């Protein structure tokens, strides 16, 4: 029965993708171990992530979205290391066999696996016992030439520039829109913050709302960008917990300060939402948006540091890459405003053991 299930939802649908990669997948689903081959003179990169129902996804999220996001977060870790995908394994712990859920989940997973040519090569399927919640865990494998050591967080150096891809905070905006739709907003935000967020959500265009929700639900890991940053970036990470907390990882590991320019962060948002300046309270809206950038998780955009000599080479990699700051001495995160000098930014990131999930 269990094997029948694995065949139906994983071995059969993913078979073609594994067969399309005969050089890397020597043996896939069905045996005790999968066998992967990596290119000569390459190193193996691996990362794992777990998603828990009610914490990382809503119980009523479409299962295809859950499947997409589960692999997206792992591929994003490869992107942040400059590694190319080889394959992944999937561990599922389910309270019951829900065929509709499994079919949707498998379809979303296959969608992103095909898009990034990352075959499913094995896994484990177990009962959740008395827990009513689904848990899923993915381990991804990737490779990079041995000469590329990854972009360690300890590699940021004084004088380097800080870059962001896309618009970190957009997924958080999508989350706030989802909270509002579900009537949770008042419960999740309080006081002044609540009124600022309500004003922000009311000002957003339908197009921005759609992009924000799609970024939350189906983030696109920056695998291509990660490969292009080889030889250019020093330290790099993917933004999964909010810019303030994620930058703190670079600051702590490298023993440096990160100074971000408020004007650069604002132009990043203006690129994403050009109509914002039509609002009389655009300055306040931008302030609220920057707060979401500091806090917001789930964007899976990249943040990296690079020597200024690489500035134009990096800029030419894409029109949604923004140089937002510099690395200086110290161990803090600062934001530099054109009029009010520097302010220290505390870590506002999501902490699993500090916030109680619903
Ligand atoms: P074993 O007991 O030897 O670990 P299992 O019965 O757990 O084997 O799994 C049988 C085969 O199915 C193995 O090749 C395993 O990798 C694969 N498999 C099990 N669950 C999954 C899953 N959720 N996704 C992909 N492959 C799976
Ligand atoms: Mg097993």
């Amino acid at each position: 029965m269990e094997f029948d299930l694995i065949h139906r939802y994983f071995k059969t649908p993913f078979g073609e993708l594994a067969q399309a990669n005969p050089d890397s997948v020597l043996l896939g689903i069905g045996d005790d171990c999968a066998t992967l081959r990596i290119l000569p003179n390459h190193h193996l990169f691996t990362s794992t992530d777990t998603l828990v129902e009610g914490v990382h996804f809503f119980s009523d999220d479409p299962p295809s979205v859950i499947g997409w996001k589960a692999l997206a977060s792992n591929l994003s870790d490869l992107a942040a290391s400059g590694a190319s995908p080889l394959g992944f394994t999937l561990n599922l712990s389910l309270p019951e066999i829900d065929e509709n859920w499994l079919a949707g989940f498998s379809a979303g997973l296959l969608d992103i696996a095909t898009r990034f040519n990352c075959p499913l090569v094995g896994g484990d399927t177990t009962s959740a016992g008395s827990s009513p919640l689904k848990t899923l865990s993915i381990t991804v494998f990737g490779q990079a030439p041995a000469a590329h050591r990854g972009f360690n967080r300890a590699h940021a150096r004084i004088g380097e520039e800080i870059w962001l891809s896309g618009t970190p905070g957009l997924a958080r905006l999508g989350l706030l829109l989802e909270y509002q739709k579900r009537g949770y907003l008042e419960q999740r935000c309080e006081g002044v913050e609540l009124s600022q967020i309500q004003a922000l959500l009311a000002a957003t265009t339908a197009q921005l709302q759609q992009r924000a929700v799609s970024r939350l639900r189906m983030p696109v890991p920056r695998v291509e960008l990660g490969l292009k940053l080889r030889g250019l970036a020093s330290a790099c990470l993917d933004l999964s917990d909010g810019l303030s907390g994620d930058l703190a990882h670079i600051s702590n590991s490298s023993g440096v300060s990160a100074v971000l320019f408020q004007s650069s962060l604002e132009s990043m948002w203006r690129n994403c939402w050009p109509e914002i300046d039509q609002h009389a309270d655009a300055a306040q809206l931008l302030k609220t948006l920057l707060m979401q950038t500091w806090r917001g998780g789930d964007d899976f955009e990249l943040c990296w540091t690079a020597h200024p000599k690489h500035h134009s080479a990096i800029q030419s990699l894409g029109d949604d890459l923004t140089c937002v700051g510099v690395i200086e001495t110290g161990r803090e995160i600062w934001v530099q405003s054109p009029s009010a000098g520097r302010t220290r930014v505390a870590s506002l990131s999501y902490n699993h053991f500090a916030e109680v999930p619903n």
Side-chain angles (χ1 to χ4, degrees), residues 232-358:
L232 296 174
S234 304
C236 180
L237 40 69
D238 70 320
L239 295 172
S240 52
D241 293 326
L243 185 58
S244 53
D246 286 323
L247 263 179
H249 296 316
I250 291 184
S251 157
N252 289 332
S253 304
S254 299
V256 296
S257 278
V259 181
L260 300 204
F261 308 126
Q262 188 183 322
S263 55
S264 308
L265 291 167
E266 288 178 354
S267 28
M268 175 186 84
W269 272 107
R270 284 196 170 96
N271 276 344
C272 171
W273 182 6
E275 304 86 352
I276 192 166
D277 286 314
Q278 294 166 8
H279 291 272
D281 59 345
Q284 179 56 49
L285 295 177
L286 280 164
K287 220 168 153 187
T288 312
L289 283 171
L290 292 203
M291 193 53 88
Q292 308 320 309
T293 299
W294 293 120
R295 280 197 176 181
D298 279 358
D299 285 288
F300 301 112
E301 293 291 352
L302 298 183
C303 171
W304 68 96
T305 71
H307 193 282
K309 71 181 176 195
H310 296 310
H311 187 98
S312 49
I314 292 174
Q315 196 68 78
S316 69
L317 296 179
D319 54 11
D320 69 340
L321 311 182
T322 316
C323 177
V324 292
V326 287
I327 296 292
E328 292 192 358
T329 52
R331 248 174 201 264
E332 290 98 28
I333 315 293
W334 299 91
V335 64
Q336 168 112 33
S337 122
S339 52
R342 287 184 178 183
T343 322
R344 213 176 136 181
V345 182
S347 177
L348 297 167
S349 293
Y350 183 76
N351 177 338
H352 282 272
F353 296 98
E355 278 183 36
V356 182
N358 57 322

Side-chain angles (χ1 to χ4, degrees), residues 5 8-10 59 61-67 92 94 96-109 134:
L5 204 87
R8 193 154 354 126
Y9 296 109
F10 301 110
S59 302
D61 274 343
S64 61
V65 165
I66 300 167
L92 272 181
L94 304 171
E96 64 192 345
I97 303 301
D98 177 344
E99 301 251 356
N100 276 337
W101 191 89
L102 276 167
F105 175 78
S106 161
L109 194 63
K134 297 179 185 74

Side-chain angles (χ1 to χ4, degrees), residues 114-266:
T114 305
R115 177 149 166 187
F116 288 92
N117 197 30
C118 186
L120 176 63
V121 298
D124 201 17
T125 308
T126 61
S127 153
S130 57
S131 165
L133 301 175
K134 297 179 185 74
T135 302
L136 47 117
S137 179
I138 283 182
T139 301
V140 78
F141 303 95
Q143 64 183 340
H148 170 73
R149 295 300 175 109
F151 303 118
N152 298 1
R153 294 168 185 198
H155 285 173
R157 295 289 172 265
I158 315 265
E160 287 185 341
E161 293 177 324
I162 303 168
W163 290 80
L164 295 177
S165 67
T167 317
L170 195 56
R172 166 106 187 153
L173 185 60
L175 183 68
L176 293 168
L177 287 161
E178 288 289 295
Y179 282 163
Q180 190 180 51
K181 196 172 94 188
R182 291 158 196 261
Y184 292 170
L185 198 59
E186 288 73 12
Q187 194 186 323
R188 296 294 174 134
C189 317
E190 287 173 347
V192 184
E193 200 202 1
L194 175 63
S195 59
Q196 287 170 352
I197 284 173
Q198 283 168 329
L200 173 68
L201 300 186
T204 50
T205 58
Q207 195 199 13
L208 181 68
Q209 290 183 6
Q210 197 193 353
R211 282 180 61 194
V213 172
S214 131
R215 182 52 41 89
L216 172 73
R217 295 189 151 201
M218 296 177 74
V220 180
R222 305 296 295 241
V223 175
E224 280 293 312
L225 176 62
L227 299 183
K228 289 178 184 161
L229 286 174
R230 284 181 188 163
L232 296 174
S234 304
C236 180
L237 40 69
D238 70 320
L239 295 172
S240 52
D241 293 326
L243 185 58
S244 53
D246 286 323
L247 263 179
H249 296 316
I250 291 184
S251 157
N252 289 332
S253 304
S254 299
V256 296
S257 278
V259 181
L260 300 204
F261 308 126
Q262 188 183 322
S263 55
S264 308
L265 291 167
E266 288 178 354

Side-chain angles (χ1 to χ4, degrees), residues 2-3 6 10 28-32 90-92 120-125:
E2 183 195 299
F3 207 71
I6 294 164
F10 301 110
I29 296 174
D31 277 84
D32 290 319
L90 166 70
N91 289 354
L92 272 181
L120 176 63
V121 298
D124 201 17
T125 308

